[in-house]
Amino acid sequence: MTTSLPEPASAAAEAAPETVEGTVQSVVYHNDENGYTVLTVAAPAAFELAKGRTFTLVGKTQAVWEGEDVTAEGQWVTDKVHGRQFKATAITCVAPKSVAGIERYLASGLIKGVGKVLAHRIVQTFGERTLDVLSHQSGRLREVPKLGRAKIEQIRASWHANETLRDAMIFGQTYGISVNKMTKIIRRYGPDAVAIVKADPYRLCRDLWGIGFATADRIALSVGIPKNSPLRARASITYTLETEAEESGHCWSYENNLLLHAHELTEIPVEILGEALEQELRERRVVAEGTGEEGRRIYLYPLYRAERDTASGVRRILGAPVPFRAIDAGKAVAWWEARAGFHLAARQREALTRSLTDKFSIITGGPGVGKTTIIRALADIYSARGLKLVLAAPTGRAAKRMSESVGRPAQTIHRLLKWNPVTNRFTYNAENTCEGDVFIFDETSMIDIRLARDLFAALPSAAVVVWVGDTDQLPSVGPGCVLGDLIKSGTIAATRLDHIFRQDTGGLIVRNAHHVNAGEPLEVRPGESDFYFVRTDDPEQCLKRAIEFMTTRIPAKFGLDPLRDVQVLTPMRRNLLGTENLNCELQKALNPSGDAVVRGGTLFRVGDRVMQLRNNYDKDVYNGDVGFVRAVSAADRSLVVAFDGRPVKYEAADLDELVLSYATTIHKSQGSEYPAVIVLIHTQHYVMLQRNLLYTALTRGKKLVLLIGVPFAVDRAIQNNVVQERRTSLAERLVRICGAEGKEMETE
């Protein structure tokens, strides 16, 4: 039923649902993530009291264009800010029927390359039959004056692609899939996307980042897949393993625990889940090893391969001879000490000697213990022998810091291996190894098992390899505990440095990092220092103090740029002191206005500091990379982000790969070092408070560390040294295939 404008809002609130119709004049606002839309709609002639007038329509719809006809069901309301508007519970959009509507529709950006002038010419040619011609008789576009063959093909392709997109968007709207996610699905599966998803919705979990089991399961149950179907059972098995890998870092799960967790997720009987597991094993989606009281160890096949291939790669390097003449370590160390003008400590000399004589060696220790000095010495000695030296680290920031401290070029491991988007694999691999004689890697605690597999596959057998890292920091974000397992295996020469050298007069950052690592109280001094603790019990006040210090007090006192030099760190993403809220509030303080692109509840503006959330090999940006927004386009909801000066384009569907990074989690800060860090630590973070978390946070600050929070929370973190062991088998594999050769880690 079409209705007239309403009675006052008080009466409307009690009225039955109404239906309104009209033509979309403009899309005022549209949120691709949740579909929330604000439209200006022109009422038809039948809409008696609104004839010749427009009204505001608000509600949720997945895709809408200017010129489309809409029908909406809902009620009239009076908004305190925006006035009278129709609040819809359901919106249906259809292609326009009038000539004017069709022309506006075509000129809205719907078809690439068609603007107002060309839309007018097309509609003048075909009138009310325009849309039918485009859908079923596109060859007739030759009748349009001054329309060349290339433009006709562009219009035809864009129109048919849009039809596919519209059908897919309707499907997505039906099953609660956002426009951004639906765009990714279409990108992945092409024109058959809807059919593919209907046949096996659980493919979405396996094939697309950002779509989880809950979304896929909702679709599956809605399209009629039975609750206890083998398809659903098998999907729950792999999803449970993937969740344990990504959230807890485990490479495998005990069979009994796996089936129990899958049952809790789906309520599918364990017997059916057991049969599903056996089918997954037969198809090599998962792999089983060993037996025990808790059942077999169950791996996702890629993680099984990663562990196995990493162990094989280590054995290959350890077993291959060095192609160049052996270095006299004693003479080399003496030469370097004379060149540097100082003598190394005994343990430093031991670490340097091992790295000059062993094929593969590890140097570990906390901040200020001289790890960088050893890297610099190794670089000087090997370079003096005319050998090709390669320096690399897991992240761009870590590589940059390595280059600055050693005085030689360093790169990320991903850029060392060179991703090839054509072959969808690294250029350097087992069949085409990297060029180089000596490979030194820093911040190796960040290397997960997947990256380790690719790295060891690409290293030449003859290479000398040195890993440098801090085993007391948080483990890698991805699954595995590679550095710890390499040391634990006893197959690789490892030296721990624990004598502190780097502590400037009055400097407390390094001292307090070691205090935390030893389970000792923090040392705080009044007056000038590089370490401050501001006690703030109230969470609201913690938030206010963090904003105040980042935006005004630290820049004023230390001359630091808040956008480039100061980083807020916090243990968690959610709650008042989590990254999501902190970033929102810090953006308001540091970058409050200007054109913006909206994704979900996040505004991206020119000047914003942002972080990449996943490895995107096509864009050559990786998980944890930080950049700055340099351009926004509200028209197509795209961004340009500069990473170390290199511009990278993000389309609307890619925006879920980015987050604001004025504040970041301590986990995400690994491998990075900042001139100043503000660390929030409060009882709100209770479940996350542990020693290696606080230790990692403190070691991120180079010149200044400001701790804001509750003393009890700090004490809790220092005393809580119970770290969940990751379920990995790399150390066992190394012992099995290499044998422990008595290379126990040397310590002071």
Side-chain angles (χ1 to χ4, degrees), residues 571-584:
M572 304 175 77
R573 287 177 54 213
R574 294 184 175 87
N575 72 36
L576 184 70
L577 301 180
T579 57
E580 294 177 357
N581 187 58
L582 282 164
N583 275 314
C584 180

Side-chain angles (χ1 to χ4, degrees), residues 406-463:
V406 179
R408 300 174 186 272
Q411 59 191 311
T412 65
I413 294 173
H414 290 96
R415 293 196 172 97
L416 168 67
L417 303 182
K418 292 184 179 178
W419 182 258
N420 186 333
V422 177
T423 61
N424 206 35
R425 61 186 298 203
F426 286 115
T427 299
Y428 295 110
N429 49 56
E431 292 79 40
N432 180 38
T433 57
C434 297
E435 297 180 359
D437 301 307
V438 179
F439 293 79
I440 303 176
F441 301 100
D442 200 7
E443 294 286 356
T444 56
S445 63
M446 298 181 64
I447 297 177
D448 64 27
I449 194 64
R450 298 188 186 103
L451 184 56
R453 174 195 181 273
D454 293 328
L455 177 60
F456 282 110
L459 293 177
S461 298

Side-chain angles (χ1 to χ4, degrees), residues 688-692 715-723:
M688 299 287 293
L689 297 177
Q690 57 189 45
R691 186 180 299 175
N692 60 355
D715 293 340
R716 160 72 183 177
I718 292 173
Q719 298 306 316
N720 182 18
N721 198 32
V722 179
V723 179

Side-chain angles (χ1 to χ4, degrees), residues 354 362 364 471 487 490 492-496 742-747:
R354 283 190 160 199
I362 295 173
T364 186
T471 56
I487 294 172
I492 299 157
T495 306
R496 176 181 289 275
K743 297 180 178 179
E744 296 84 7
M745 183 164 61
E746 296 288 339
T747 60

Side-chain angles (χ1 to χ4, degrees), residues 35 159 307 315 504:
W159 178 258
E307 268 200 358
R315 180 182 62 178
D504 301 329

Side-chain angles (χ1 to χ4, degrees), residues 488-730:
K488 182 180 177 182
S489 73
T491 59
I492 299 157
T495 306
R496 176 181 289 275
L497 305 175
D498 53 16
H499 180 78
I500 306 173
F501 296 95
R502 178 167 59 89
Q503 39 180 334
D504 301 329
T505 303
L508 290 178
I509 295 176
V510 172
R511 288 180 63 86
N512 276 325
H514 285 273
H515 284 321
V516 169
N517 205 28
E520 300 168 354
L522 295 176
E523 186 176 341
V524 181
R525 300 173 187 166
E528 297 295 317
S529 177
D530 61 354
F531 185 94
Y532 297 87
F533 177 63
V534 178
R535 175 170 180 165
T536 312
D537 294 338
D538 181 61
E540 291 279 359
Q541 287 300 315
C542 279
L543 177 63
K544 290 180 180 179
R545 300 300 294 273
I547 296 170
E548 177 191 354
F549 275 102
M550 183 173 185
T551 59
T552 57
R553 296 185 62 172
I554 289 177
K557 183 175 178 63
F558 298 95
L560 298 175
D561 182 346
L563 284 176
R564 295 190 174 276
D565 299 330
V566 186
Q567 180 67 58
V568 175
L569 302 179
T570 185
M572 304 175 77
R573 287 177 54 213
R574 294 184 175 87
N575 72 36
L576 184 70
L577 301 180
T579 57
E580 294 177 357
N581 187 58
L582 282 164
N583 275 314
C584 180
E585 296 300 322
L586 287 166
Q587 183 190 51
K588 291 177 184 177
L590 290 167
N591 194 24
S593 61
D595 293 340
V597 169
V598 182
R599 191 258 169 193
T602 302
L603 297 173
F604 293 104
R605 295 193 180 97
V606 172
D608 279 333
R609 185 166 72 200
V610 295
M611 178 181 286
Q612 175 75 12
L613 291 178
R614 65 181 290 261
N615 293 337
N616 189 320
Y617 297 104
D618 294 333
K619 296 183 187 295
D620 195 25
V621 289
Y622 303 98
N623 188 3
D625 283 357
V626 174
F628 291 87
V629 178
R630 290 292 178 250
V632 301
S633 174
D636 60 1
R637 299 184 65 251
S638 65
L639 301 176
V640 175
V641 180
F643 293 96
D644 292 327
R646 182 177 65 89
V648 178
K649 178 80 174 285
Y650 285 79
E651 304 293 345
D654 302 323
L655 294 182
D656 60 350
E657 297 184 9
L658 292 174
V659 291
L660 296 174
S661 66
Y662 299 99
T664 190
T665 63
I666 297 168
H667 281 82
K668 283 290 188 181
S669 74
Q670 291 179 85
S672 297
E673 193 176 67
Y674 312 91
V677 296
I678 300 170
V679 184
L680 298 181
I681 186 162
H682 197 275
T683 49
Q684 281 199 355
H685 308 131
Y686 192 84
V687 296
M688 299 287 293
L689 297 177
Q690 57 189 45
R691 186 180 299 175
N692 60 355
L693 184 97
L694 180 58
Y695 173 76
T696 300
L698 300 189
T699 56
R700 300 308 92 198
K702 188 176 182 181
K703 298 178 180 178
L704 174 68
V705 172
L706 171 64
L707 204 60
I708 302 176
V710 182
F712 173 79
V714 176
D715 293 340
R716 160 72 183 177
I718 292 173
Q719 298 306 316
N720 182 18
N721 198 32
V722 179
V723 179
Q724 183 187 30
E725 291 288 332
R726 293 188 168 187
R727 291 193 289 271
T728 69
S729 301
L730 179 60

